[in-house]
Amino acid sequence: MALRIDVRDFVPEDEPAVLELFADCEDWFVAATGQPSGPGDVQSMYYALPPGCAPEQKRLLVLEAGRQVIGLVDAVLGHPDPDSCAVGCCLLAPHWRRRGIGTAVAGALLSAAPAVRRVTATLAPGWAPGIAFARATGFQVASAPGVAVGDRNTRPAERAALRAELDVRSFRAGDRGVVVDRTGVSGPTAG
């Protein structure tokens, strides 16, 4: 039987579950910020936008398996240019990783956004799972840090991030028996 993942818009009532997810994803927070997640991280991610972007471009999506929040995608449509999407964060709880979920969700979101031709992402230089995922799905990952972090407020201890870029035509989807339902995503998924 296939694993079903529901993707939907983040709502304020999700904050406790997302904070729990952030605690589970301490590896990412330490690699990205130099410290574990804190209570203001959900609000920071919710409101932070790259310079020049409007709030309507922001998509904060939760991933659920059986009504349990297991992941989060933070993206800005139409940035850095109209046919692009910038991903500031794509997290999966550690015990849900390496099951094909990230690839299936990315594929479902890309297929729903035909106007998106390029995806950019910032990766924490020391976060091996994220770098491996990006490379496995077709992203070209810079060999040295050099860009500001994604679309969230930063902490003083943060280092420059690695830039990753995907030409959507190069996306490598996998099929590991994951079914993604994105009916809970409102509004356009493409700029």
PDB file of all heavy atoms in Angstrom, residues 97-130:
ATOM      1  N   ARG A  97      12.565  10.660   6.724  1.00  0.00           N
ATOM      2  CA  ARG A  97      13.493  10.894   5.614  1.00  0.00           C
ATOM      3  C   ARG A  97      13.857   9.583   4.918  1.00  0.00           C
ATOM      4  O   ARG A  97      13.727   8.507   5.468  1.00  0.00           O
ATOM      5  CB  ARG A  97      14.774  11.574   6.129  1.00  0.00           C
ATOM      6  CG  ARG A  97      14.523  12.962   6.671  1.00  0.00           C
ATOM      7  CD  ARG A  97      15.799  13.563   7.245  1.00  0.00           C
ATOM      8  NE  ARG A  97      15.480  14.797   7.972  1.00  0.00           N
ATOM      9  CZ  ARG A  97      16.289  15.357   8.851  1.00  0.00           C
ATOM     10  NH1 ARG A  97      17.474  14.828   9.102  1.00  0.00           N
ATOM     11  NH2 ARG A  97      15.922  16.459   9.470  1.00  0.00           N
ATOM     12  N   ARG A  98      14.319   9.741   3.688  1.00  0.00           N
ATOM     13  CA  ARG A  98      14.827   8.632   2.871  1.00  0.00           C
ATOM     14  C   ARG A  98      13.746   7.599   2.531  1.00  0.00           C
ATOM     15  O   ARG A  98      14.020   6.411   2.376  1.00  0.00           O
ATOM     16  CB  ARG A  98      16.042   7.983   3.524  1.00  0.00           C
ATOM     17  CG  ARG A  98      17.137   9.011   3.789  1.00  0.00           C
ATOM     18  CD  ARG A  98      18.525   8.497   3.903  1.00  0.00           C
ATOM     19  NE  ARG A  98      18.931   7.535   2.909  1.00  0.00           N
ATOM     20  CZ  ARG A  98      19.426   7.809   1.683  1.00  0.00           C
ATOM     21  NH1 ARG A  98      19.538   9.044   1.286  1.00  0.00           N
ATOM     22  NH2 ARG A  98      19.799   6.834   0.889  1.00  0.00           N
ATOM     23  N   ARG A  99      12.507   8.089   2.401  1.00  0.00           N
ATOM     24  CA  ARG A  99      11.388   7.232   1.992  1.00  0.00           C
ATOM     25  C   ARG A  99      10.792   7.695   0.672  1.00  0.00           C
ATOM     26  O   ARG A  99       9.754   7.193   0.258  1.00  0.00           O
ATOM     27  CB  ARG A  99      10.286   7.247   3.057  1.00  0.00           C
ATOM     28  CG  ARG A  99      10.692   6.666   4.382  1.00  0.00           C
ATOM     29  CD  ARG A  99       9.500   6.594   5.297  1.00  0.00           C
ATOM     30  NE  ARG A  99       9.879   6.259   6.652  1.00  0.00           N
ATOM     31  CZ  ARG A  99       9.013   5.952   7.580  1.00  0.00           C
ATOM     32  NH1 ARG A  99       7.725   5.934   7.326  1.00  0.00           N
ATOM     33  NH2 ARG A  99       9.426   5.663   8.791  1.00  0.00           N
ATOM     34  N   GLY A 100      11.404   8.698   0.056  1.00  0.00           N
ATOM     35  CA  GLY A 100      10.887   9.216  -1.208  1.00  0.00           C
ATOM     36  C   GLY A 100       9.858  10.325  -1.051  1.00  0.00           C
ATOM     37  O   GLY A 100       9.302  10.802  -2.038  1.00  0.00           O
ATOM     38  N   ILE A 101       9.603  10.745   0.174  1.00  0.00           N
ATOM     39  CA  ILE A 101       8.575  11.761   0.428  1.00  0.00           C
ATOM     40  C   ILE A 101       8.973  13.107  -0.158  1.00  0.00           C
ATOM     41  O   ILE A 101       8.167  13.754  -0.846  1.00  0.00           O
ATOM     42  CB  ILE A 101       8.284  11.876   1.937  1.00  0.00           C
ATOM     43  CG1 ILE A 101       7.688  10.572   2.449  1.00  0.00           C
ATOM     44  CG2 ILE A 101       7.369  13.069   2.228  1.00  0.00           C
ATOM     45  CD1 ILE A 101       7.617  10.460   3.966  1.00  0.00           C
ATOM     46  N   GLY A 102      10.181  13.559   0.114  1.00  0.00           N
ATOM     47  CA  GLY A 102      10.620  14.862  -0.392  1.00  0.00           C
ATOM     48  C   GLY A 102      10.569  14.936  -1.902  1.00  0.00           C
ATOM     49  O   GLY A 102      10.088  15.920  -2.482  1.00  0.00           O
ATOM     50  N   THR A 103      11.025  13.901  -2.557  1.00  0.00           N
ATOM     51  CA  THR A 103      11.007  13.868  -4.016  1.00  0.00           C
ATOM     52  C   THR A 103       9.577  13.847  -4.545  1.00  0.00           C
ATOM     53  O   THR A 103       9.247  14.552  -5.499  1.00  0.00           O
ATOM     54  CB  THR A 103      11.781  12.633  -4.521  1.00  0.00           C
ATOM     55  OG1 THR A 103      13.100  12.664  -3.962  1.00  0.00           O
ATOM     56  CG2 THR A 103      11.881  12.627  -6.028  1.00  0.00           C
ATOM     57  N   ALA A 104       8.706  13.054  -3.910  1.00  0.00           N
ATOM     58  CA  ALA A 104       7.308  12.990  -4.352  1.00  0.00           C
ATOM     59  C   ALA A 104       6.602  14.328  -4.161  1.00  0.00           C
ATOM     60  O   ALA A 104       5.862  14.780  -5.040  1.00  0.00           O
ATOM     61  CB  ALA A 104       6.569  11.886  -3.603  1.00  0.00           C
ATOM     62  N   VAL A 105       6.837  14.975  -3.029  1.00  0.00           N
ATOM     63  CA  VAL A 105       6.215  16.283  -2.777  1.00  0.00           C
ATOM     64  C   VAL A 105       6.745  17.308  -3.775  1.00  0.00           C
ATOM     65  O   VAL A 105       5.971  18.076  -4.365  1.00  0.00           O
ATOM     66  CB  VAL A 105       6.442  16.738  -1.321  1.00  0.00           C
ATOM     67  CG1 VAL A 105       6.064  18.202  -1.132  1.00  0.00           C
ATOM     68  CG2 VAL A 105       5.650  15.853  -0.366  1.00  0.00           C
ATOM     69  N   ALA A 106       8.045  17.332  -3.983  1.00  0.00           N
ATOM     70  CA  ALA A 106       8.622  18.274  -4.954  1.00  0.00           C
ATOM     71  C   ALA A 106       8.028  18.046  -6.336  1.00  0.00           C
ATOM     72  O   ALA A 106       7.654  19.000  -7.032  1.00  0.00           O
ATOM     73  CB  ALA A 106      10.144  18.134  -4.992  1.00  0.00           C
ATOM     74  N   GLY A 107       7.921  16.807  -6.745  1.00  0.00           N
ATOM     75  CA  GLY A 107       7.345  16.495  -8.056  1.00  0.00           C
ATOM     76  C   GLY A 107       5.898  16.947  -8.171  1.00  0.00           C
ATOM     77  O   GLY A 107       5.490  17.509  -9.192  1.00  0.00           O
ATOM     78  N   ALA A 108       5.104  16.713  -7.118  1.00  0.00           N
ATOM     79  CA  ALA A 108       3.694  17.127  -7.140  1.00  0.00           C
ATOM     80  C   ALA A 108       3.569  18.643  -7.202  1.00  0.00           C
ATOM     81  O   ALA A 108       2.740  19.181  -7.947  1.00  0.00           O
ATOM     82  CB  ALA A 108       2.966  16.585  -5.917  1.00  0.00           C
ATOM     83  N   LEU A 109       4.390  19.345  -6.436  1.00  0.00           N
ATOM     84  CA  LEU A 109       4.321  20.809  -6.444  1.00  0.00           C
ATOM     85  C   LEU A 109       4.800  21.380  -7.777  1.00  0.00           C
ATOM     86  O   LEU A 109       4.205  22.324  -8.303  1.00  0.00           O
ATOM     87  CB  LEU A 109       5.107  21.394  -5.271  1.00  0.00           C
ATOM     88  CG  LEU A 109       4.525  21.080  -3.886  1.00  0.00           C
ATOM     89  CD1 LEU A 109       5.464  21.595  -2.790  1.00  0.00           C
ATOM     90  CD2 LEU A 109       3.127  21.641  -3.720  1.00  0.00           C
ATOM     91  N   LEU A 110       5.847  20.798  -8.333  1.00  0.00           N
ATOM     92  CA  LEU A 110       6.332  21.278  -9.632  1.00  0.00           C
ATOM     93  C   LEU A 110       5.323  21.013 -10.743  1.00  0.00           C
ATOM     94  O   LEU A 110       5.121  21.850 -11.622  1.00  0.00           O
ATOM     95  CB  LEU A 110       7.677  20.633  -9.977  1.00  0.00           C
ATOM     96  CG  LEU A 110       8.873  21.156  -9.192  1.00  0.00           C
ATOM     97  CD1 LEU A 110      10.109  20.306  -9.483  1.00  0.00           C
ATOM     98  CD2 LEU A 110       9.141  22.620  -9.506  1.00  0.00           C
ATOM     99  N   SER A 111       4.658  19.868 -10.701  1.00  0.00           N
ATOM    100  CA  SER A 111       3.676  19.579 -11.747  1.00  0.00           C
ATOM    101  C   SER A 111       2.469  20.502 -11.640  1.00  0.00           C
ATOM    102  O   SER A 111       1.792  20.752 -12.636  1.00  0.00           O
ATOM    103  CB  SER A 111       3.247  18.113 -11.713  1.00  0.00           C
ATOM    104  OG  SER A 111       2.483  17.843 -10.560  1.00  0.00           O
ATOM    105  N   ALA A 112       2.206  21.019 -10.458  1.00  0.00           N
ATOM    106  CA  ALA A 112       1.085  21.950 -10.264  1.00  0.00           C
ATOM    107  C   ALA A 112       1.476  23.391 -10.574  1.00  0.00           C
ATOM    108  O   ALA A 112       0.627  24.281 -10.522  1.00  0.00           O
ATOM    109  CB  ALA A 112       0.588  21.862  -8.826  1.00  0.00           C
ATOM    110  N   ALA A 113       2.736  23.605 -10.886  1.00  0.00           N
ATOM    111  CA  ALA A 113       3.242  24.962 -11.131  1.00  0.00           C
ATOM    112  C   ALA A 113       3.966  25.023 -12.472  1.00  0.00           C
ATOM    113  O   ALA A 113       5.181  25.186 -12.524  1.00  0.00           O
ATOM    114  CB  ALA A 113       4.179  25.368  -9.998  1.00  0.00           C
ATOM    115  N   PRO A 114       3.238  24.883 -13.593  1.00  0.00           N
ATOM    116  CA  PRO A 114       3.903  24.818 -14.892  1.00  0.00           C
ATOM    117  C   PRO A 114       4.659  26.088 -15.271  1.00  0.00           C
ATOM    118  O   PRO A 114       5.554  26.028 -16.106  1.00  0.00           O
ATOM    119  CB  PRO A 114       2.756  24.543 -15.864  1.00  0.00           C
ATOM    120  CG  PRO A 114       1.520  24.976 -15.158  1.00  0.00           C
ATOM    121  CD  PRO A 114       1.786  24.787 -13.694  1.00  0.00           C
ATOM    122  N   ALA A 115       4.356  27.214 -14.650  1.00  0.00           N
ATOM    123  CA  ALA A 115       5.074  28.454 -14.970  1.00  0.00           C
ATOM    124  C   ALA A 115       6.465  28.501 -14.338  1.00  0.00           C
ATOM    125  O   ALA A 115       7.309  29.297 -14.744  1.00  0.00           O
ATOM    126  CB  ALA A 115       4.259  29.670 -14.513  1.00  0.00           C
ATOM    127  N   VAL A 116       6.719  27.650 -13.350  1.00  0.00           N
ATOM    128  CA  VAL A 116       8.027  27.635 -12.689  1.00  0.00           C
ATOM    129  C   VAL A 116       9.007  26.860 -13.552  1.00  0.00           C
ATOM    130  O   VAL A 116       8.800  25.687 -13.848  1.00  0.00           O
ATOM    131  CB  VAL A 116       7.934  27.030 -11.273  1.00  0.00           C
ATOM    132  CG1 VAL A 116       9.319  26.853 -10.664  1.00  0.00           C
ATOM    133  CG2 VAL A 116       7.073  27.902 -10.373  1.00  0.00           C
ATOM    134  N   ARG A 117      10.049  27.540 -13.960  1.00  0.00           N
ATOM    135  CA  ARG A 117      11.095  26.930 -14.797  1.00  0.00           C
ATOM    136  C   ARG A 117      12.379  26.660 -14.021  1.00  0.00           C
ATOM    137  O   ARG A 117      13.205  25.864 -14.434  1.00  0.00           O
ATOM    138  CB  ARG A 117      11.429  27.856 -15.978  1.00  0.00           C
ATOM    139  CG  ARG A 117      10.247  28.189 -16.840  1.00  0.00           C
ATOM    140  CD  ARG A 117      10.000  27.057 -17.808  1.00  0.00           C
ATOM    141  NE  ARG A 117       8.880  27.390 -18.675  1.00  0.00           N
ATOM    142  CZ  ARG A 117       7.759  26.701 -18.737  1.00  0.00           C
ATOM    143  NH1 ARG A 117       7.607  25.647 -17.993  1.00  0.00           N
ATOM    144  NH2 ARG A 117       6.792  27.045 -19.546  1.00  0.00           N
ATOM    145  N   ARG A 118      12.536  27.384 -12.879  1.00  0.00           N
ATOM    146  CA  ARG A 118      13.766  27.270 -12.098  1.00  0.00           C
ATOM    147  C   ARG A 118      13.418  27.347 -10.619  1.00  0.00           C
ATOM    148  O   ARG A 118      12.550  28.112 -10.209  1.00  0.00           O
ATOM    149  CB  ARG A 118      14.698  28.423 -12.465  1.00  0.00           C
ATOM    150  CG  ARG A 118      15.983  28.450 -11.685  1.00  0.00           C
ATOM    151  CD  ARG A 118      16.908  29.523 -12.209  1.00  0.00           C
ATOM    152  NE  ARG A 118      16.377  30.841 -11.971  1.00  0.00           N
ATOM    153  CZ  ARG A 118      17.057  31.823 -11.395  1.00  0.00           C
ATOM    154  NH1 ARG A 118      18.295  31.629 -11.020  1.00  0.00           N
ATOM    155  NH2 ARG A 118      16.508  32.999 -11.213  1.00  0.00           N
ATOM    156  N   VAL A 119      14.098  26.524  -9.834  1.00  0.00           N
ATOM    157  CA  VAL A 119      13.951  26.558  -8.382  1.00  0.00           C
ATOM    158  C   VAL A 119      15.325  26.865  -7.808  1.00  0.00           C
ATOM    159  O   VAL A 119      16.320  26.238  -8.188  1.00  0.00           O
ATOM    160  CB  VAL A 119      13.442  25.206  -7.826  1.00  0.00           C
ATOM    161  CG1 VAL A 119      13.344  25.251  -6.305  1.00  0.00           C
ATOM    162  CG2 VAL A 119      12.094  24.843  -8.446  1.00  0.00           C
ATOM    163  N   THR A 120      15.355  27.852  -6.917  1.00  0.00           N
ATOM    164  CA  THR A 120      16.596  28.160  -6.215  1.00  0.00           C
ATOM    165  C   THR A 120      16.403  27.773  -4.746  1.00  0.00           C
ATOM    166  O   THR A 120      15.286  27.772  -4.233  1.00  0.00           O
ATOM    167  CB  THR A 120      16.973  29.649  -6.313  1.00  0.00           C
ATOM    168  OG1 THR A 120      15.952  30.428  -5.690  1.00  0.00           O
ATOM    169  CG2 THR A 120      17.157  30.073  -7.761  1.00  0.00           C
ATOM    170  N   ALA A 121      17.489  27.437  -4.109  1.00  0.00           N
ATOM    171  CA  ALA A 121      17.429  27.076  -2.696  1.00  0.00           C
ATOM    172  C   ALA A 121      18.718  27.495  -2.024  1.00  0.00           C
ATOM    173  O   ALA A 121      19.763  27.598  -2.675  1.00  0.00           O
ATOM    174  CB  ALA A 121      17.219  25.574  -2.544  1.00  0.00           C
ATOM    175  N   THR A 122      18.619  27.744  -0.738  1.00  0.00           N
ATOM    176  CA  THR A 122      19.809  27.976   0.066  1.00  0.00           C
ATOM    177  C   THR A 122      19.946  26.776   0.993  1.00  0.00           C
ATOM    178  O   THR A 122      18.970  26.323   1.592  1.00  0.00           O
ATOM    179  CB  THR A 122      19.707  29.280   0.879  1.00  0.00           C
ATOM    180  OG1 THR A 122      18.480  29.285   1.607  1.00  0.00           O
ATOM    181  CG2 THR A 122      19.757  30.484  -0.035  1.00  0.00           C
ATOM    182  N   LEU A 123      21.160  26.258   1.086  1.00  0.00           N
ATOM    183  CA  LEU A 123      21.426  25.069   1.887  1.00  0.00           C
ATOM    184  C   LEU A 123      22.473  25.389   2.945  1.00  0.00           C
ATOM    185  O   LEU A 123      23.468  26.051   2.648  1.00  0.00           O
ATOM    186  CB  LEU A 123      21.943  23.932   1.008  1.00  0.00           C
ATOM    187  CG  LEU A 123      21.049  23.483  -0.143  1.00  0.00           C
ATOM    188  CD1 LEU A 123      21.801  22.512  -1.048  1.00  0.00           C
ATOM    189  CD2 LEU A 123      19.793  22.829   0.400  1.00  0.00           C
ATOM    190  N   ALA A 124      22.249  24.900   4.149  1.00  0.00           N
ATOM    191  CA  ALA A 124      23.248  25.048   5.201  1.00  0.00           C
ATOM    192  C   ALA A 124      24.476  24.238   4.795  1.00  0.00           C
ATOM    193  O   ALA A 124      24.355  23.063   4.449  1.00  0.00           O
ATOM    194  CB  ALA A 124      22.694  24.559   6.524  1.00  0.00           C
ATOM    195  N   PRO A 125      25.670  24.857   4.814  1.00  0.00           N
ATOM    196  CA  PRO A 125      26.868  24.160   4.347  1.00  0.00           C
ATOM    197  C   PRO A 125      27.163  22.844   5.062  1.00  0.00           C
ATOM    198  O   PRO A 125      27.675  21.927   4.460  1.00  0.00           O
ATOM    199  CB  PRO A 125      28.002  25.157   4.594  1.00  0.00           C
ATOM    200  CG  PRO A 125      27.349  26.468   4.795  1.00  0.00           C
ATOM    201  CD  PRO A 125      25.946  26.211   5.245  1.00  0.00           C
ATOM    202  N   GLY A 126      26.792  22.709   6.324  1.00  0.00           N
ATOM    203  CA  GLY A 126      27.093  21.490   7.065  1.00  0.00           C
ATOM    204  C   GLY A 126      25.948  20.506   7.142  1.00  0.00           C
ATOM    205  O   GLY A 126      26.032  19.523   7.879  1.00  0.00           O
ATOM    206  N   TRP A 127      24.879  20.724   6.393  1.00  0.00           N
ATOM    207  CA  TRP A 127      23.711  19.847   6.510  1.00  0.00           C
ATOM    208  C   TRP A 127      23.711  18.824   5.387  1.00  0.00           C
ATOM    209  O   TRP A 127      23.107  19.010   4.338  1.00  0.00           O
ATOM    210  CB  TRP A 127      22.431  20.664   6.536  1.00  0.00           C
ATOM    211  CG  TRP A 127      21.245  19.882   6.954  1.00  0.00           C
ATOM    212  CD1 TRP A 127      21.147  19.043   8.024  1.00  0.00           C
ATOM    213  CD2 TRP A 127      19.979  19.838   6.309  1.00  0.00           C
ATOM    214  NE1 TRP A 127      19.890  18.489   8.088  1.00  0.00           N
ATOM    215  CE2 TRP A 127      19.150  18.968   7.042  1.00  0.00           C
ATOM    216  CE3 TRP A 127      19.458  20.461   5.182  1.00  0.00           C
ATOM    217  CZ2 TRP A 127      17.847  18.693   6.689  1.00  0.00           C
ATOM    218  CZ3 TRP A 127      18.153  20.188   4.835  1.00  0.00           C
ATOM    219  CH2 TRP A 127      17.352  19.323   5.590  1.00  0.00           C
ATOM    220  N   ALA A 128      24.377  17.704   5.615  1.00  0.00           N
ATOM    221  CA  ALA A 128      24.557  16.674   4.594  1.00  0.00           C
ATOM    222  C   ALA A 128      23.245  16.120   4.031  1.00  0.00           C
ATOM    223  O   ALA A 128      23.146  15.924   2.816  1.00  0.00           O
ATOM    224  CB  ALA A 128      25.429  15.545   5.138  1.00  0.00           C
ATOM    225  N   PRO A 129      22.188  15.865   4.852  1.00  0.00           N
ATOM    226  CA  PRO A 129      20.946  15.323   4.267  1.00  0.00           C
ATOM    227  C   PRO A 129      20.327  16.252   3.213  1.00  0.00           C
ATOM    228  O   PRO A 129      19.848  15.786   2.185  1.00  0.00           O
ATOM    229  CB  PRO A 129      20.010  15.161   5.469  1.00  0.00           C
ATOM    230  CG  PRO A 129      20.912  15.047   6.646  1.00  0.00           C
ATOM    231  CD  PRO A 129      22.095  15.921   6.320  1.00  0.00           C
ATOM    232  N   GLY A 130      20.341  17.543   3.462  1.00  0.00           N
ATOM    233  CA  GLY A 130      19.759  18.492   2.505  1.00  0.00           C
ATOM    234  C   GLY A 130      20.577  18.598   1.229  1.00  0.00           C
ATOM    235  O   GLY A 130      20.021  18.660   0.124  1.00  0.00           O
TER     236      GLY A 130
END
